[in-house]
Amino acid sequence: MSGQQIPHFLQDVIFHGKFKLLKALTPEENTRCQHGLYFQDGQRHVDYVLTFHVKKHSRHATHLHGDNALARSLRRGPWSRHRQGERTRDASSSPSSGDPSCHGETLSAHEDQKSLKREEFEGKLRDVGLELEIDEDSKIPGVGFVKIHAPWNVLCREAELMKLKMPTKRVYEVKPSSGVMEKISALVSKALEPLRPHVEEPQHKHIKHLSHTFSREKQHLFDLSDRDYFFDSKTRSSIVFEILKRTKCKAKYSMGISSLLGSGVYTAAYPLHDGDINEESAESNDRKLLYEEWANYSVFYKYQPIGLVRKYFGEKIGLYFAWLGLYTQMLIPASLVGVIVFLYGCATVDDNIPSVEICHPRNNITMCPQCDRVCSYWRLSSACGTARASHLFDNPATVFFSIFMALWAAMFMEHWKRRQMRLNYEWDLTGFEDEEDHPRAEYELQVMQKSLNKHQNSRHKESKLTCQDRFPAYMTNIVMMLLMIGVTFAIVFGVILYRISTKAALHMSSNPVTRNNVQLTVKTTAAIINLVVILILDEVYGAVARWLTVLEVPKTDKSFEERLIFKTFILKFFNAFTPIIYIAFFRGRLVGRPGSYLYVFESYRMEECAHGGCLMELCIQLSITMLGKQLIQNNLFEIGIPKLKKLIRYIRTKRGAFQEEERQKKLQRYETDHFLEPFAGLTPEYMEMIIQFGFVTLFVASFPLAPLFALLNNIIEIRLDAKKFVTELRRPVAARAKDIGIWYNILRGVAKVAVIINAFVISFTSDFIPRMVYQYMYSPDGTMHGFVNHTLSYFNVSHFQSGREPLDPQQLGYHVEMCRYKDYREPPWSSTPYEISKEFWAVLAVRLAFVIIFQNVVMLMNDIVDWLIPDIPKDISLQIHKEKILLVELFMKEEQGKSQSFEGKTPAGHKVNCSRNNNNSAPQTHTQQHSNSF
């Protein structure tokens, strides 16, 4: 059935009552109509869908109203131009227009205004060539659908305007190199063949189409034998979305689909998924293939079909999953080394002299009380378990692991740059440059309001918002960001008070088991409280960051996204890492000494680190926060919240509206997708991975198992995100991108900061430097024997402040005159009692020297890695150069063809004339000639 016959055919069906003609549709066309992927004619593909609110009618009225839905949509079709004053929901066309049951209630003024805006907007869409079909009688009560189709001429025009690169008919062979490394790579690739997904490659991997920016004047260069599939579904939907964004109404402040969605004129806008995934009878489509070979936990061990992900969702989402896959792959060697470091700590714990000295049964060192009054003296041997556990994470291997992870981060960044360039080549993005987006609707609204307010009587109008216009928003941003960071600090301080007060309360317990496990109880419960607060504040900070970004009124969507990402990252980074930074660098250093402790509110004594150091507590806080965020926030929330929202949307839509037989009817594709969760962007996905990258790199010296837990989480995360994109979310609009944008700069920043933080963790948080200083400067025999005694200072218990001494000084069974505490201070019998000793300054000097040396050495090694590894793989560089040469040859042949065609049609006496005015004199000849050349 030709395109010209379709209007007359459907007019006969609707207006002349020839309903039997519907049976003339082929079974395939009927199936297309039933699935909702095509218009009622079964031939025009639905490229985009808009939804709007429809006034609810009674069952009888809805039936009568629906009998004419297709008729109304046909009258608004491309063969009958929409008139400005005509109402889209034309009551006069309905035979039931006088029925009070159908029109007993009139539309409110607000709804009437929305209807007028829809009429105008849909008319504008028809004017630019789009074809629309409206369904007000859907199976979802109260929801109407506008199905949009972009015909061939519109697709060609917009592809040229958007500068889309499309494959030409010219193909060339990508010859693999024949070096030793390439042969090894081929063997490895063959060995890994079982790990590759069963996805059909669109073409042979050694054959590539030469791509060129699409042009209507050069259509003969492209293979247009099947126009229905030349532009795939993601390209068609992105073209329609581009038209929707720039189409403006004459109505006040209506600036494209974004403002219409914001004002409620339309309730949703989305492209359709390809088809069903669960039914066995469902036709094979990319979505079903992605569900089977990607969004499935049973294929967790396989590589991702990145090419198919890009084909279905676009380059931007494809790059995210390619980055996530590479990051997960790079975590494998980091996890192996981390496990080896941990096992080394386990294997050497019995040979660790300091912990052996602490755990020795004859060790009778009496320690000073850990809190005032209710705490009493205690033996150092009771900290045996903590000392042995600390060695698992505080040993010489952790220094090596910190250096390794710094180099690992540099290798990861370089490997990603090379992978990104390879994908740019494979996806024909080598010459792609980000063009400036259309101004956002909110920005244009602000500019228009400014022009109306300040220049009503002047022809001159402001074309942009200045810094002066945004100054109040900037000040609000600064104040609110500082306030939110202050809230984070206040909560950390609150948790500190909780630990101090809980420790004192538990020491007063009459239960000996409770008293013996005070440290473990306080540390664990405080870490869990921190985790809960972090999860809550993450959601709050995300909403605050979006609100602050909206206040700034960024001009473009890209600017909006980058500002939102920056604010969200700053707030969530402080939220996640402030408790950890406090434990690593501040806890135990603002304590004072016995007899002169530092107090908060004159009653709460600042908390100390356990004798094994704060590294063990840092490890507990880090592990609980990291694992809790991954299990609860990244996994349970991502699974549960979309399903809950989908259920709520489904219940609300069906509440008291469906009859039982209607519920059993199969929904159309556009109706099924309406129940899915809208796509909210990639910012949450990237953000959780960036925070995880921080956990893996920033404090890895205190938790070498962090890469392992990140690896296990990401194996699940990839399939979870895939399942969410394929089954739980509406199909996103495909967006082109050649890189991951601002996220790469954030990654580099985190990697640089990680070097500095790990240097400080090794130097100040762990006992690595004090051990080295003792062994090489103070040890009489060059070993670690006597290190524990060397790090403990003396205190005369008679020097306690009045009211601060223990209530039960005889708890150990003997009278105590001297107690010990961990610090480098002079003894009470010295001429300068309790003053800082020279050992403290020696250790401090070495610590600072280590930080400087470690930082510079690792930074230098990172720069060497960056210099040694080229950003562009050599084979890709050669192929890009080859493509440029082939393009030049292609256009040279085209020009020669034009010249020969012109000379053959020009009289001999006129051959000297310039041919530029007759370049298009023989398009058919050009087309045939170049078709043969391919």
Side-chain angles (χ1 to χ4, degrees), residues 321-522:
F321 281 103
W323 174 84
L324 180 57
L326 179 64
Y327 170 49
T328 305
Q329 184 178 345
M330 290 290 291
L331 282 172
I332 296 175
S335 302
L336 291 176
V337 177
V339 171
I340 291 173
V341 169
F342 179 75
L343 293 178
Y344 169 81
C346 295
T348 59
V349 67
D350 292 330
D351 300 327
N352 181 42
I353 296 175
S355 60
V356 170
E357 289 183 350
I358 293 174
C359 298
H360 198 280
R362 288 182 292 179
N363 180 7
N364 59 354
I365 297 177
T366 303
M367 302 297 294
C368 296
Q370 294 179 326
C371 62
D372 291 339
R373 305 294 289 170
V374 296
C375 299
S376 186
Y377 305 106
W378 56 284
R379 288 191 178 94
L380 181 60
S381 57
S382 63
C384 175
T386 304
R388 290 173 62 87
S390 296
H391 178 73
L392 301 179
F393 306 100
D394 187 4
N395 55 71
T398 57
V399 180
F400 158 76
F401 190 54
S402 298
I403 299 174
F404 171 81
M405 288 302 295
L407 295 177
W408 172 87
M411 291 287 293
F412 167 58
M413 304 300 293
E414 293 302 314
H415 195 176
W416 168 245
K417 283 194 289 187
R418 292 169 61 85
R419 172 70 168 151
Q420 191 170 254
M421 285 304 303
R422 188 174 296 277
L423 291 177
N424 284 343
Y425 165 72
E426 294 175 356
W427 295 351
D428 298 322
L429 296 170
T430 49
F432 172 73
E433 294 293 337
D434 290 330
E435 298 181 2
E436 188 171 353
D437 296 335
H438 298 291
R440 297 173 62 247
E442 294 82 356
Y443 177 84
E444 292 194 345
L445 174 61
Q446 290 290 332
V447 172
M448 185 180 297
Q449 288 177 340
K450 177 182 177 181
S451 301
L452 291 176
N453 293 336
K454 295 187 176 181
H455 303 280
Q456 291 181 349
N457 300 323
S458 173
R459 295 183 179 180
H460 174 72
K461 293 188 178 181
E462 294 285 345
S463 59
K464 63 179 181 179
L465 296 180
T466 63
C467 291
Q468 184 177 0
D469 298 324
R470 291 194 174 103
F471 183 75
Y474 289 154
M475 292 303 299
T476 305
N477 271 259
I478 294 173
V479 172
M480 287 299 298
M481 291 284 286
L482 293 176
L483 177 62
M484 293 298 102
I485 294 173
V487 169
T488 302
F489 290 158
I491 291 175
V492 171
F493 184 69
V495 176
I496 293 172
L497 295 181
Y498 162 80
R499 276 198 292 254
I500 296 172
S501 58
T502 305
K503 182 187 294 184
L506 293 178
H507 275 291
M508 296 172 63
S509 174
S510 59
N511 189 341
V513 177
T514 303
R515 290 197 305 270
N516 293 335
N517 294 281
V518 169
Q519 292 289 342
L520 181 61
T521 304
V522 172

Side-chain angles (χ1 to χ4, degrees), residues 96-157:
S96 59
S97 59
D99 190 347
S101 64
C102 188
H103 297 285
E105 297 180 2
T106 59
L107 289 174
S108 65
H110 188 59
E111 291 295 327
D112 195 34
Q113 187 179 13
K114 289 182 181 180
S115 179
L116 289 172
K117 287 184 178 180
R118 281 196 297 270
E119 288 181 19
E120 182 185 358
F121 185 70
E122 291 164 10
K124 293 279 188 179
L125 296 181
R126 293 188 182 92
D127 290 339
V128 297
L130 296 179
E131 297 175 4
L132 274 61
E133 187 174 81
I134 301 176
D135 181 8
E136 294 182 350
D137 191 28
S138 68
K139 299 182 182 69
I140 306 177
V143 180
F145 295 88
V146 179
K147 294 174 281 185
I148 303 175
H149 169 76
W152 173 255
N153 61 324
V154 174
L155 293 174
C156 293
R157 181 191 71 211

Side-chain angles (χ1 to χ4, degrees), residues 44 73-81 126 129-132:
R44 290 176 291 171
S73 66
L74 288 171
R75 280 198 294 274
R76 301 186 198 107
W79 54 85
S80 178
R81 280 295 170 199
R126 293 188 182 92
L130 296 179
E131 297 175 4
L132 274 61

